[in-house]
């Protein structure tokens, strides 16, 4: 990697790491200290449980939201770096490299929270903890092999964070091309339409019940999620491959639209 791109990556990493620290601090205070103070003021301290509040912080989920929101913030940094002689390609490469590094940091934080804090507080082993989260479907794919299970879980999280970050980068690269008024309309209208579309699809599936189309959709979803009919288990490598392909496509979209970005007056 060129020195200029690496220096820019370090700058973005330090900036986002600082934002992440303040974000976690604010959330931890709101999720633990604030309820504790409210319990003291309301006289319900005897029913307050530090274990319940600390074990449910959801550090990994918080990081997923963080990396997505940060990925949407594109134009201000673009304007700053372009005005200081940084090319569009160098800026894009630095953002992607920083995303890879930040995602690894997110995985590390999630793993520490899951297995060093939540698991002991909830008195659960590795498989018991994973069975209570979004990785539940894949927790038993490797049997009782703890090392493989945790390793693939970490890789799964890393790819998930990268995909979320690249999705945000692709969206922001496209949205910046529109005026702020159009951006606001898109941010309002698109989610509403998506909700109605999902509701329509769900209603259609319920009405058609076991039709050929519904069965085909079910098989496709199971295939996408990695369902192994012979073993009766979900294979984590299938969604991981899907995330890799999706990430590559989103990265190309972000790069293509990033080349079209222009400074606004």
């Amino acid at each position: 990697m060129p020195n200029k791109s690496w220096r820019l990556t370090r700058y973005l990493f330090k900036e986002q790491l600082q934002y992440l620290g303040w974000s976690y601090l604010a959330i931890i205070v709101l999720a633990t200290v604030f309820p504790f103070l409210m319990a003291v003021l309301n006289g319900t301290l005897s029913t307050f449980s530090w274990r319940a509040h600390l074990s449910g912080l959801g550090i990994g989920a918080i990081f997923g939201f963080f990396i997505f929101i940060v990925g949407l913030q594109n134009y201000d940094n673009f304007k700053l770096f372009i005005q200081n002689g940084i090319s569009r390609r160098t800026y894009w490469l630095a953002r992607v490299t920083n995303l890879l590094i930040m995602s690894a940091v997110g995985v590390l934080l999630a793993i520490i929270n899951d297995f060093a804090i939540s698991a002991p507080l909830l008195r659960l082993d590795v498989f018991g903890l994973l069975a209570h989260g979004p990785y539940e479907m894949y927790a038993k794919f490797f049997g009782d092999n703890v090392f493989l299970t945790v390793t693939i879980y970490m890789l799964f999280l890393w790819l998930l964070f990268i995909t979320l970050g690249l999705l945000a980068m692709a969206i922001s690269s496209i949205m910046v091309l529109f005026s702020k008024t159009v951006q606001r309309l898109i941010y309002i209208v698109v989610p509403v339409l998506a909700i109605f579309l999902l509701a329509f699809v769900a209603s259609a599936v319920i009405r058609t019940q076991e039709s050929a189309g519904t069965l085909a959709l079910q098989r496709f979803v199971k295939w996408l999620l990695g369902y192994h009919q012979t073993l009766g288990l979900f294979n984590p490598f299938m969604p991981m491959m899907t995330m890799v392909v999706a990430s590559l496509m989103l990265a190309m979209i972000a790069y293509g639209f990033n080349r079209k970005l222009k400074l606004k007056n």
Side-chain angles (χ1 to χ4, degrees):
M1 179 183 292
N3 289 333
K4 185 180 292 186
S5 181
W6 179 243
R7 289 197 300 269
L8 183 55
T9 301
R10 289 177 57 189
Y11 173 86
L12 292 172
F13 177 72
K14 290 179 181 179
E15 180 185 55
Q16 292 184 14
L17 198 62
Q18 185 178 20
Y19 290 152
L20 180 64
W22 283 112
S23 299
Y24 274 132
L25 178 61
I27 291 171
I28 290 172
V29 168
L30 288 174
T32 58
V33 177
F34 183 71
F36 173 75
L37 294 176
M38 292 299 295
V40 171
L41 294 174
N42 295 331
T44 58
L45 190 59
S46 59
T47 62
F48 180 82
S49 172
W50 282 105
R51 186 195 331 183
H53 286 81
L54 289 173
S55 62
L57 288 176
I59 296 298
I62 293 170
F63 183 84
F65 281 110
F66 173 83
I67 205 67
F68 183 79
I69 293 171
V70 168
L72 292 175
Q73 313 306 311
N74 184 23
Y75 181 72
D76 289 340
N77 276 337
F78 168 78
K79 181 178 180 180
L80 172 65
F81 297 136
I82 291 297
Q83 289 178 336
N84 284 274
I86 303 296
S87 68
R88 287 168 172 77
R89 182 180 181 279
T90 300
Y91 173 57
W92 176 85
L93 182 60
R95 289 192 73 194
V96 172
T97 306
N98 174 66
L99 174 61
L100 299 179
I101 299 172
M102 282 296 297
S103 296
V105 172
V107 171
L108 180 62
L109 293 173
I111 291 298
I112 292 173
N113 174 74
D114 288 346
F115 301 119
I117 299 175
S118 295
L121 289 174
L122 296 173
R123 297 185 178 90
L124 295 172
D125 60 10
V126 170
F127 298 104
L129 183 70
L130 293 179
H132 287 77
Y135 196 72
E136 175 184 358
M137 295 185 296
Y138 311 105
K140 283 294 184 179
F141 185 76
F142 295 102
D144 296 326
N145 192 319
V146 176
F147 176 77
L148 264 180
T149 299
V150 174
T151 301
I152 299 303
Y153 173 58
M154 293 173 65
L155 185 57
F156 187 96
L157 283 181
W158 188 57
L159 290 173
L160 177 60
F161 293 151
I162 291 171
T163 305
L164 285 173
L166 288 171
L167 174 61
M169 284 177 58
I171 292 173
S172 65
S173 297
I174 297 172
M175 294 295 288
V176 169
L177 299 177
F178 299 101
S179 67
K180 289 187 177 181
T181 301
V182 175
Q183 289 181 32
R184 293 190 187 99
L185 287 174
I186 292 175
Y187 280 130
I188 294 172
V189 173
V190 171
V192 173
L193 290 177
I195 292 172
F196 277 107
L197 179 62
L198 288 174
F200 174 78
V201 171
S203 177
V205 169
I206 293 173
R207 287 199 305 269
T208 54
Q209 295 182 352
E210 297 300 322
S211 67
T214 303
L215 293 174
L217 178 61
Q218 290 176 357
R219 286 194 293 268
F220 175 72
V221 172
K222 286 183 178 179
W223 175 78
L224 205 59
L225 293 175
Y227 181 69
H228 196 293
Q229 188 170 359
T230 304
L231 298 176
L233 298 171
F234 285 87
N235 183 350
F237 290 106
M238 186 61 208
M240 287 166 64
M241 289 173 59
T242 302
M243 286 189 284
V244 169
V245 174
S247 294
L248 292 174
M249 293 175 61
L250 291 168
M252 288 189 290
I253 292 172
Y255 179 70
F257 281 96
N258 186 74
R259 295 179 62 184
K260 298 179 181 295
L261 291 182
K262 297 180 180 180
L263 294 178
K264 299 178 181 179
N265 295 328

